[in-house]
Amino acid sequence: MEKELRVLSPVSILGYGIPTESLRNGVARQPHVIGVDAGSTDMGAYFLATGHPYMNRSAVKRDARLLLEARRDTGAVLIMGSVGGAGSNSHVDNMVEIIRETAAELDLHFPLARIYSEIDRKLVEAAMHEGRVRPLTGAPQVTPEEIDKISGPIVAQMGVDPIIAALDAGAKVVVAGRACDEAIFAAPGRRAGFPYPLALHMGKLLECGAACATPRTGRDSVFAYLREDHFVIEPLNPSRRVTPQSLAAHMMHEVEHPFLHREVLGTLDLSGVEFEPAPERGTRVSGSRFTPARTPTIKLEAATLAGYRSFVLGGMRDPILIQQLDQVLDGVRARAAEISEVPPDRYTLTYRVYGRNGVMGDLESVSTITSHEIALVADVVACTQDEAHAVCDIVFNGLLAFPYKGSIATTGNFACPFSPEVQDFGPVFRFLLFHVMEVADPTEHFSMKLLNI
Amino acid sequence: MPKLRDLAAVIKSKNAGPFMITFDVILKDRRSFDRVRPLFTEENICRWYPVPRERIVSIVPFPNACAIKFTLLRRVSSGDVGDTSLYGSQQHVNLFNVEVPDEQII
C-alpha cells in the first residue's frame, strides 16, 4: 500500500467546540497526527501583553479532554500550537496545567513536550543593531531604543523544526508556544520524509478545521491523507464537502498574497497547484512548490500600551436629533475640551456611530443615511484610567443634554441601556513588533522540555 | 449590467496580519473571472474604497482559483485606538454593487 500520513484537524481554535460526531469520524480513520491551532494575532495585542488566555478555560478543557481521549484511542501524536492565544510562556504553562489536570482525571500518562517561544529583549535589540530585524509590510519601524516600550513578552513564531525536535525526543503531546499555523500540521510529515511543499500546503489548508470546506466553518473537523506526490482533504461532517473552490478560498485566507506564502524556511509557491475530485466528498491536491530562503527568518510579535479606555454605549431615535448628529457630536467634543481638567492631548475621543459608519469608518462608501435609530459608542482612550473615565463622564453628560435646533423633546438625547453608563475597559494595546528576524538556526530561540504526565 | 455579487461565489474581507486588510473575490467560473479581472485596477479600487493609492499593497489575480485578491494598509492597526473591526471583517460590501460591463460580442 502507498505510504501515507493521516492527519486530523478537529477545529480551528482549541476551545471553539469540537463536534463529537465529526471527531468520532476522524478517529475511525486512524490518524497518525491530531493537530490544533489555538491562537492568532487576530484578537489584537491584548492577550500577548497581559498573559490572559484568549479562550475560556472550561471550553479549552472540554476540547482538550476530547483530543486526549482521541489520542489514547488512536495512538496519534497530538500537537497544539500558539496555545493560549498568543503563545507566550504563561499561555504555555497554563495549557500544560489544563492538560495535567485532565490527564489525571482520565488516568492518562504520556511524554509531553513544552516548547517556549518567548525571546529575550536583549537578543532582539542586538539583532536590530546587526540589521537582522525588519518590519513586515505596514508594521512600524522600531529602533533598538524603543524595545523598552514593549508591554509583556516578545514571542517568536516557530516553524516545523522545533516541533520535529520535540517529536524526535519522544513527545506524544506537543504544547507549542507561538507557531506558524501550517507548521503544526506539516512537522510530522516533514519528519516522516514526505515532500515539504506538500506537507506545508496541507498544513496551510488544515489550520482552521473545516474552514477549508463548504459550507465553511472553523467549528468543525476535516481529515487529510498526505502521500508522496499529493494530498487529499475530506470533510468529517456528512453535510460538508471539500471542493477546489473551498480549498482555493482558504489558501487565500488572511494572507497578503494568494499563492506565495513566506514562512520560516522559505516561500511556498501555490501558483501551479492542481485540484481533482476525490472520494468521500474530498479533493486531491498536487503541484505545490517551495523555494528555500537564503537565511531562515522567524516572525517576532510584541505589544505596546496605547492607553486606557472608558466608553459609554447608548442610542438615539429622535429624527430631528439624528439629522443634526454631527453638530451634536462636535459640540460635545468641544465642550469636553473646554471643561475637562484633562487636556485634549492626553486622550483620544472616538465616536462610533452604528447606523452610519460604525463598522467601516473611513472605508464606508455610503454618505447619506436613512437609519431610524443610531447606536453610539463614545470611546475615550487616555493616558490613565482615571483620565479616560473623567473625560467619558463629561462626554456622556454632554450627549445626554446637548441642545440642537428645532428640538421638541426637551430632555434626554441619549438612551443608555446600562447602569453605570460609563464603563472602564482597562488597558488598550497595539502591536509594536510585527517583524522578521534572520536566524542561523530555525530552532535556536525555542526551548523545549520533555515532561512526564 | 450585472453586479459583482451576481458573478462571485465569495466576496470577503479579513486581516492579513494586524497592519493590512485583504479582500478576496472568487468568481463562480473562469468566464466570469476573465470578465471582471480587468476591473481590478488601482484607480477602480480607489473609487470603491475612499483610500489614497499608497494604501494599496497589492492586487493579484489567481487564475487557478478564478480569484482576485487585493490588500490595503489599515488606517490603524487591528485593535488600536480608532479601529472599527478587529478581524477586518465586514469591510467587503463596497464590492457587492460594482458594475460589470456586458461581455463583448465579437
Side-chain angles (χ1 to χ4, degrees), chain A residues 16 40-45 54 136-140 216 244-245 248-259 270-275 306-307 309 348 350 352 354 357-366 379 381 428-434, chain B residues 9-10 12 14-29 47-51 55 57-73 75 77-87 89-94:
Chain A
Y16 267 3
S40 173
T41 54
D42 259 346
M43 62 288 271
Y54 177 55
L136 288 165
T137 309
R216 180 183 195 278
Q245 196 169 68
H250 196 64
M251 272 158 59
M252 301 167 71
H253 185 64
E254 65 185 11
V255 288
E256 186 262 317
H257 200 284
F259 52 81
L270 305 177
S271 56
V273 68
E274 286 176 39
F275 302 111
R309 167 173 284 138
T348 305
T350 307
R352 301 166 179 285
Y354 292 94
N357 65 350
V359 172
M360 294 186 64
D362 69 325
L363 296 182
E364 179 57 66
S365 61
V366 174
D379 167 14
V381 178
V428 179
F429 298 94
R430 69 167 74 97
F431 283 100
L432 182 69
L433 289 186
F434 196 69
Chain B
V10 173
K12 71 185 176 84
K14 178 75 170 69
N15 287 346
F19 296 95
M20 293 186 281
I21 177 161
T22 193
F23 298 80
D24 295 347
V25 178
I26 304 179
L27 285 309
K28 286 177 183 163
D29 49 47
R47 275 202 299 120
W48 304 333
Y49 287 92
V51 294
R55 273 181 58 189
V57 177
S58 58
I59 309 166
V60 191
F62 186 11
N64 284 22
C66 296
I68 298 163
K69 177 188 263 297
F70 67 91
T71 302
L72 304 179
L73 289 175
R75 186 178 55 84
S77 65
S78 166
D80 196 358
V81 179
D83 183 23
T84 62
S85 182
L86 189 58
Y87 297 83
S89 35
Q90 290 293 307
Q91 310 296 301
H92 60 284
V93 287
N94 292 9

Side-chain angles (χ1 to χ4, degrees), chain A residues 397-414:
Chain A
N397 75 51
L399 284 169
L400 203 56
F402 200 82
Y404 56 93
K405 274 187 220 143
S407 60
I408 299 172
T410 51
T411 53
N413 299 342
F414 198 50

Side-chain angles (χ1 to χ4, degrees), chain A residues 94-148:
Chain A
N94 182 262
M95 191 66 228
V96 170
E97 201 266 324
I98 291 172
I99 290 177
R100 256 190 216 286
E101 188 179 290
T102 311
E105 287 161 11
L106 297 172
D107 194 25
L108 298 175
H109 304 277
F110 44 80
L112 177 148
R114 177 198 75 189
I115 310 176
Y116 282 153
S117 57
E118 283 185 17
I119 176 165
D120 193 271
R121 291 178 184 209
K122 293 263 180 299
L123 284 171
V124 174
E125 199 180 326
M128 280 180 167
H129 281 297
E130 290 161 18
R132 288 192 288 118
V133 180
R134 60 177 189 278
L136 288 165
T137 309
Q141 290 286 344
V142 177
T143 63
E145 295 70 38
E146 288 173 304
I147 292 277
D148 287 342

